[in-house]
Amino acid sequence: MSTGTTTTSAATREATDKATQTPLAPPPVPLRRNWRFQALWAGQAGSTLGLQIIDTAYPLLLLALTGSSTLAAAFGALQIGASVVFGIHGGAVADRYDRRRILIVGDSTRLIACASVPLAMALDRLTVAHSLLVAVVVGATIAYTGPVRLLAVRSVVPPEQLRQALAQDEARMSGAGLIGPPLAGALFGLGRAAPFVGTALTSLLALAVAVLVRFPSRPASPAEDATDTDGTDPTDPTNGTDPTNGTNGTDGTKDADGIKDTGSAKGAALAGHRYLARSALLRPILAVVLLINLAGTAMLLPVMVVLRGQGTSDAAIGLALAGEAVGALVGALLVRRLHRLVGPGVLLLAVSWLTVPMILAPLLPGGPATVFAGLFLVGLGVPTLRVMIDLLVFQQVPDALRGRVIAATMTMFTVGMPAGMVGSGLLLDHLSPAAALGTVAALLAAGLVPATAGRTLRRATWPDRTAA
């Protein structure tokens, strides 16, 4: 009798345990069937392609209208300048207001601005002032919609699929960089208005996606973020507290200076910059990436001068410079593998030091083929570094602060582009193209020495929650 009772009790307990067990969560939908991600990705791809087209077509148009290379370059300068000026406010807006509405308003504004160009051309009313005003408007919309697009695409993907999603996003960037310039040239050959009609259509696609696709668009309050974090900074292996939190995580309602982060507090717009400045790991990471951007931009003009001096045609120069975009397309397939092999800091240093000799590749025999091969090798590491920034910076920041941190990061990288352009021009005014390339390579190497000698980057590890 006792045995039977014991057996019955054990069976009852087993049945009770099975009944009270929490069912396992279903596996996430494969990324290719995640229609919200794919739709948002398509909208972002259209937006990026449109920017690539307009960045190429506008200088061609202004050069044809005025014959002035200064005015042709002014479009890019004003667009970048507007992105930098409005960048701080754009990040604060993304953290304070409904992000989907920001995207709709920004895309609508850009659509109107871009559509005004072919309309003015049809009415024979296009002026230089109109064109430059469009540059400012487009740059401003980038400042407001850029952080929101990054947040939107990532908000509809589960953490375990994040690297795969980011790799696909890198294919968008690289594909647009590869297709955009030649497509702009081909459209411009069909008619001066054609590239701007194409840009307006891509803006319409981006707007349609923003209207139709819903995503988590309300920024989380600081209190909500506080329930999901223990107050430590996962991006900083050198300490156990969050350097961006004035109370070491004890009060999630305070920002990087320990003040209430309501979005309207004085200085709250700069909280993203303070977050980056206070992280012992993010400071050297962003500094190294900024150096790479500076060097990469500064080398382009000397490379073109070298190739032109060798008698290379304009079409061949364009194909040679496409090497980086082709390399980045291939590199997008290597992201997860490279992330498994080495830590983020070692990976960053390896790609950075590889860039140094590649800057000198145009001086070797082979002409455009050598340039293409060198840029291809550099481009292989670009997607890996972009995904690294996303994993270490954007995904580790409390949602209430994320828009400002993304905007601060984008501003830092954007500032490096005009600085590199100006620097290369100054170098070519006083040095030969070969000496200019040698100077750029030497300056990059000198800037990498402190980061390589320090332990912070070499000891950095990937965040556990995004480990593949």
Side-chain angles (χ1 to χ4, degrees):
M1 290 291 293
S2 60
T3 303
T5 303
T6 302
T7 303
T8 302
S9 299
T12 302
R13 284 197 301 272
E14 183 178 354
T16 302
D17 290 343
K18 289 182 178 180
T20 58
Q21 283 179 352
T22 303
L24 294 176
V29 176
L31 198 61
R32 66 180 182 277
R33 290 167 49 196
N34 184 336
W35 76 269
R36 286 197 302 169
F37 168 76
Q38 297 297 346
L40 289 170
W41 180 88
Q44 191 165 355
S47 174
T48 305
L49 179 59
L51 289 175
Q52 289 288 338
I53 292 174
I54 202 173
D55 286 348
T56 303
Y58 247 117
L60 293 175
L61 176 65
L62 290 172
L63 194 60
L65 290 176
T66 66
S68 170
S69 57
T70 300
L71 287 175
F75 179 87
L78 286 174
Q79 180 179 310
I80 293 174
S83 297
V84 172
V85 170
F86 289 99
I88 295 175
H89 187 248
V93 167
D95 284 336
R96 190 175 181 185
Y97 298 104
D98 185 280
R99 291 166 177 168
R100 182 164 167 264
R101 291 183 180 179
I102 296 171
L103 205 56
I104 292 173
V105 171
D107 286 342
S108 299
T109 303
R110 190 172 68 183
L111 173 60
I112 294 171
C114 292
S116 71
V117 176
L119 178 61
M121 294 175 72
L123 298 175
D124 198 22
R125 297 286 185 178
L126 183 65
T127 63
V128 173
H130 181 174
S131 302
L132 297 182
L133 178 61
V134 171
V136 174
V137 173
V138 170
T141 60
I142 293 172
Y144 288 99
T145 62
V148 175
R149 288 194 191 283
L150 290 174
L151 292 168
V153 170
R154 288 144 182 79
S155 69
V156 296
V157 176
E160 58 268 32
Q161 293 180 341
L162 185 58
R163 272 193 176 90
Q164 181 184 356
L166 295 179
Q168 180 174 331
D169 202 37
E170 284 306 309
R172 166 189 62 83
M173 293 285 293
S174 304
L178 182 62
I179 298 172
L183 178 59
L187 291 174
F188 198 81
L190 296 176
R192 290 183 178 180
F196 307 99
V197 173
T199 299
L201 291 176
T202 60
S203 299
L204 180 60
L205 171 62
L207 175 60
V209 170
V211 171
L212 296 175
V213 180
R214 296 186 178 274
F215 58 89
S217 58
R218 293 296 302 177
S221 67
E224 290 172 338
D225 279 328
T227 63
D228 297 328
T229 181
D230 60 1
T232 60
D233 180 4
T235 70
D236 191 347
T238 63
N239 59 68
T241 60
D242 186 351
T244 69
N245 192 329
T247 58
N248 290 335
T250 59
D251 185 358
T253 64
K254 297 185 179 181
D255 75 351
D257 285 338
I259 63 174
K260 293 284 185 181
D261 187 16
T262 62
S264 59
K266 183 178 180 180
L270 295 174
H273 293 78
R274 293 194 294 270
Y275 181 96
L276 299 176
R278 293 189 179 193
S279 172
L281 176 60
L282 298 184
R283 285 196 306 270
I285 283 180
L286 295 179
V288 170
V289 175
L290 178 60
L291 282 174
I292 295 176
N293 281 346
L294 276 168
T297 305
M299 71 174 286
L300 290 179
L301 186 56
V303 167
M304 287 189 281
V305 174
V306 168
L307 292 177
R308 188 176 292 275
Q310 296 173 351
T312 307
S313 67
D314 290 341
I317 291 176
L319 290 174
L321 296 180
E324 182 177 356
V326 176
L329 278 173
V330 177
L333 305 175
L334 305 176
V335 169
R336 298 186 67 180
R337 183 174 300 178
L338 290 175
H339 283 196
R340 287 193 186 103
L341 291 176
V342 293
V346 174
L347 185 61
L348 174 62
L349 292 173
V351 173
S352 303
W353 280 108
L354 174 64
T355 305
V356 174
M358 291 302 102
I359 292 175
L360 303 175
L363 305 181
L364 299 175
T370 303
V371 172
F372 181 94
L375 292 177
F376 177 87
L377 291 175
V378 172
L380 285 175
V382 170
T384 301
L385 297 187
R386 286 178 180 161
V387 173
M388 179 195 72
I389 293 295
D390 200 299
L391 295 178
L392 293 182
V393 184
F394 304 158
Q395 297 303 320
Q396 306 303 320
V397 181
D399 188 68
L401 189 63
R402 192 169 292 162
R404 281 165 287 178
V405 171
I406 291 176
T409 305
M410 293 174 64
T411 299
M412 287 183 60
F413 295 163
T414 303
V415 167
M417 296 171 63
M421 295 175 187
V422 173
S424 65
L426 292 174
L427 287 174
L428 288 174
D429 284 341
H430 298 88
L431 301 172
S432 67
L437 289 173
T439 302
V440 172
L443 291 175
L444 176 59
L448 292 176
V449 169
T452 306
R455 297 181 178 180
T456 303
L457 288 181
R458 290 186 281 112
R459 292 183 176 181
T461 57
W462 297 107
D464 289 339
R465 65 179 177 180
T466 55

